[in-house]
mmCIF file of all heavy atoms in Angstrom:
data_model
loop_
_atom_site.group_PDB
_atom_site.id
_atom_site.type_symbol
_atom_site.label_atom_id
_atom_site.label_comp_id
_atom_site.label_asym_id
_atom_site.label_seq_id
_atom_site.Cartn_x
_atom_site.Cartn_y
_atom_site.Cartn_z
ATOM 1 N N MET A 55 -57.312 124.074 190.288
ATOM 2 C CA MET A 55 -58.611 124.266 190.948
ATOM 3 C C MET A 55 -58.855 125.738 191.271
ATOM 4 O O MET A 55 -59.970 126.220 191.181
ATOM 5 C CB MET A 55 -58.679 123.447 192.250
ATOM 6 C CG MET A 55 -58.784 121.956 192.066
ATOM 7 S SD MET A 55 -60.113 121.466 190.948
ATOM 8 C CE MET A 55 -59.159 121.064 189.505
ATOM 9 N N ARG A 56 -57.785 126.424 191.624
ATOM 10 C CA ARG A 56 -57.903 127.846 191.955
ATOM 11 C C ARG A 56 -58.412 128.632 190.739
ATOM 12 O O ARG A 56 -59.311 129.468 190.855
ATOM 13 C CB ARG A 56 -56.536 128.362 192.410
ATOM 14 C CG ARG A 56 -56.574 129.746 192.996
ATOM 15 C CD ARG A 56 -55.194 130.215 193.446
ATOM 16 N NE ARG A 56 -55.269 131.633 193.729
ATOM 17 C CZ ARG A 56 -54.959 132.192 194.895
ATOM 18 N NH1 ARG A 56 -54.498 131.466 195.870
ATOM 19 N NH2 ARG A 56 -55.103 133.498 195.064
ATOM 20 N N LEU A 57 -57.852 128.325 189.567
ATOM 21 C CA LEU A 57 -58.279 129.012 188.336
ATOM 22 C C LEU A 57 -59.688 128.586 187.925
ATOM 23 O O LEU A 57 -60.482 129.398 187.448
ATOM 24 C CB LEU A 57 -57.289 128.722 187.206
ATOM 25 C CG LEU A 57 -55.961 129.465 187.298
ATOM 26 C CD1 LEU A 57 -54.986 128.949 186.253
ATOM 27 C CD2 LEU A 57 -56.160 130.970 187.150
ATOM 28 N N LEU A 58 -59.990 127.298 188.115
ATOM 29 C CA LEU A 58 -61.327 126.795 187.787
ATOM 30 C C LEU A 58 -62.383 127.478 188.672
ATOM 31 O O LEU A 58 -63.419 127.933 188.177
ATOM 32 C CB LEU A 58 -61.341 125.276 187.972
ATOM 33 C CG LEU A 58 -62.614 124.512 187.612
ATOM 34 C CD1 LEU A 58 -62.272 123.211 186.906
ATOM 35 C CD2 LEU A 58 -63.445 124.214 188.849
ATOM 36 N N ASP A 59 -62.092 127.566 189.962
ATOM 37 C CA ASP A 59 -63.018 128.229 190.897
ATOM 38 C C ASP A 59 -63.182 129.703 190.538
ATOM 39 O O ASP A 59 -64.277 130.256 190.636
ATOM 40 C CB ASP A 59 -62.499 128.112 192.337
ATOM 41 C CG ASP A 59 -62.655 126.710 192.901
ATOM 42 O OD1 ASP A 59 -63.467 125.935 192.346
ATOM 43 O OD2 ASP A 59 -61.969 126.382 193.883
ATOM 44 N N PHE A 60 -62.085 130.320 190.135
ATOM 45 C CA PHE A 60 -62.129 131.734 189.761
ATOM 46 C C PHE A 60 -63.014 131.941 188.538
ATOM 47 O O PHE A 60 -63.849 132.855 188.498
ATOM 48 C CB PHE A 60 -60.698 132.242 189.494
ATOM 49 C CG PHE A 60 -60.665 133.648 188.986
ATOM 50 C CD1 PHE A 60 -60.997 134.710 189.818
ATOM 51 C CD2 PHE A 60 -60.310 133.916 187.674
ATOM 52 C CE1 PHE A 60 -60.974 136.010 189.346
ATOM 53 C CE2 PHE A 60 -60.287 135.214 187.190
ATOM 54 C CZ PHE A 60 -60.626 136.264 188.024
ATOM 55 N N LEU A 61 -62.843 131.070 187.556
ATOM 56 C CA LEU A 61 -63.652 131.142 186.329
ATOM 57 C C LEU A 61 -65.138 131.030 186.673
ATOM 58 O O LEU A 61 -65.971 131.798 186.185
ATOM 59 C CB LEU A 61 -63.218 130.007 185.392
ATOM 60 C CG LEU A 61 -63.548 130.109 183.911
ATOM 61 C CD1 LEU A 61 -63.130 131.440 183.317
ATOM 62 C CD2 LEU A 61 -62.867 128.971 183.163
ATOM 63 N N LEU A 62 -65.466 130.087 187.549
ATOM 64 C CA LEU A 62 -66.866 129.889 187.949
ATOM 65 C C LEU A 62 -67.385 131.086 188.731
ATOM 66 O O LEU A 62 -68.531 131.506 188.549
ATOM 67 C CB LEU A 62 -67.005 128.603 188.779
ATOM 68 C CG LEU A 62 -66.837 127.300 187.987
ATOM 69 C CD1 LEU A 62 -66.755 126.106 188.928
ATOM 70 C CD2 LEU A 62 -67.978 127.117 186.992
ATOM 71 N N ALA A 63 -66.536 131.649 189.587
ATOM 72 C CA ALA A 63 -66.945 132.815 190.387
ATOM 73 C C ALA A 63 -67.273 134.006 189.485
ATOM 74 O O ALA A 63 -68.096 134.850 189.844
ATOM 75 C CB ALA A 63 -65.836 133.189 191.374
ATOM 76 N N ARG A 64 -66.641 134.060 188.322
ATOM 77 C CA ARG A 64 -66.903 135.150 187.358
ATOM 78 C C ARG A 64 -67.961 134.754 186.341
ATOM 79 O O ARG A 64 -68.085 135.389 185.291
ATOM 80 C CB ARG A 64 -65.596 135.526 186.632
ATOM 81 C CG ARG A 64 -64.509 136.080 187.522
ATOM 82 C CD ARG A 64 -64.895 137.367 188.219
ATOM 83 N NE ARG A 64 -65.127 138.470 187.295
ATOM 84 C CZ ARG A 64 -65.849 139.546 187.592
ATOM 85 N NH1 ARG A 64 -66.411 139.656 188.776
ATOM 86 N NH2 ARG A 64 -66.008 140.506 186.712
ATOM 87 N N ASP A 65 -68.705 133.677 186.653
ATOM 88 C CA ASP A 65 -69.772 133.191 185.776
ATOM 89 C C ASP A 65 -69.240 132.750 184.411
ATOM 90 O O ASP A 65 -69.921 132.879 183.395
ATOM 91 C CB ASP A 65 -70.853 134.273 185.611
ATOM 92 C CG ASP A 65 -72.198 133.679 185.208
ATOM 93 O OD1 ASP A 65 -72.408 132.473 185.477
ATOM 94 O OD2 ASP A 65 -73.016 134.403 184.619
ATOM 95 N N GLY A 66 -68.020 132.261 184.392
ATOM 96 C CA GLY A 66 -67.421 131.769 183.150
ATOM 97 C C GLY A 66 -67.765 130.315 182.909
ATOM 98 O O GLY A 66 -68.280 129.637 183.798
ATOM 99 N N ALA A 67 -67.496 129.850 181.701
ATOM 100 C CA ALA A 67 -67.766 128.454 181.332
ATOM 101 C C ALA A 67 -66.477 127.645 181.431
ATOM 102 O O ALA A 67 -65.497 127.963 180.763
ATOM 103 C CB ALA A 67 -68.341 128.383 179.932
ATOM 104 N N VAL A 68 -66.515 126.607 182.272
ATOM 105 C CA VAL A 68 -65.355 125.723 182.406
ATOM 106 C C VAL A 68 -65.381 124.717 181.255
ATOM 107 O O VAL A 68 -66.420 124.126 180.972
ATOM 108 C CB VAL A 68 -65.371 124.980 183.764
ATOM 109 C CG1 VAL A 68 -64.330 123.868 183.797
ATOM 110 C CG2 VAL A 68 -65.144 125.972 184.907
ATOM 111 N N LYS A 69 -64.225 124.588 180.597
ATOM 112 C CA LYS A 69 -64.130 123.589 179.533
ATOM 113 C C LYS A 69 -62.851 122.788 179.750
ATOM 114 O O LYS A 69 -61.758 123.267 179.490
ATOM 115 C CB LYS A 69 -64.111 124.270 178.172
ATOM 116 C CG LYS A 69 -64.362 123.280 177.055
ATOM 117 C CD LYS A 69 -64.564 123.931 175.713
ATOM 118 C CE LYS A 69 -64.873 122.908 174.631
ATOM 119 N NZ LYS A 69 -63.924 121.777 174.602
ATOM 120 N N LEU A 70 -63.032 121.581 180.299
ATOM 121 C CA LEU A 70 -61.863 120.739 180.589
ATOM 122 C C LEU A 70 -61.363 120.064 179.314
ATOM 123 O O LEU A 70 -62.159 119.570 178.518
ATOM 124 C CB LEU A 70 -62.226 119.683 181.643
ATOM 125 C CG LEU A 70 -62.601 120.240 183.018
ATOM 126 C CD1 LEU A 70 -62.987 119.102 183.961
ATOM 127 C CD2 LEU A 70 -61.463 121.063 183.618
ATOM 128 N N LYS A 71 -60.050 120.084 179.161
ATOM 129 C CA LYS A 71 -59.440 119.495 177.961
ATOM 130 C C LYS A 71 -58.617 118.268 178.328
ATOM 131 O O LYS A 71 -58.318 118.045 179.502
ATOM 132 C CB LYS A 71 -58.543 120.538 177.292
ATOM 133 C CG LYS A 71 -59.321 121.734 176.781
ATOM 134 C CD LYS A 71 -58.421 122.918 176.499
ATOM 135 C CE LYS A 71 -59.285 124.156 176.378
ATOM 136 N NZ LYS A 71 -58.736 125.237 175.670
#
Side-chain angles (χ1 to χ4, degrees):
M55 289 308 104
R56 190 180 168 123
L57 285 172
L58 183 139
D59 287 341
F60 175 70
L61 200 50
L62 289 170
R64 297 298 296 159
D65 203 23
V68 169
K69 194 171 182 310
L70 296 178
K71 296 163 196 202

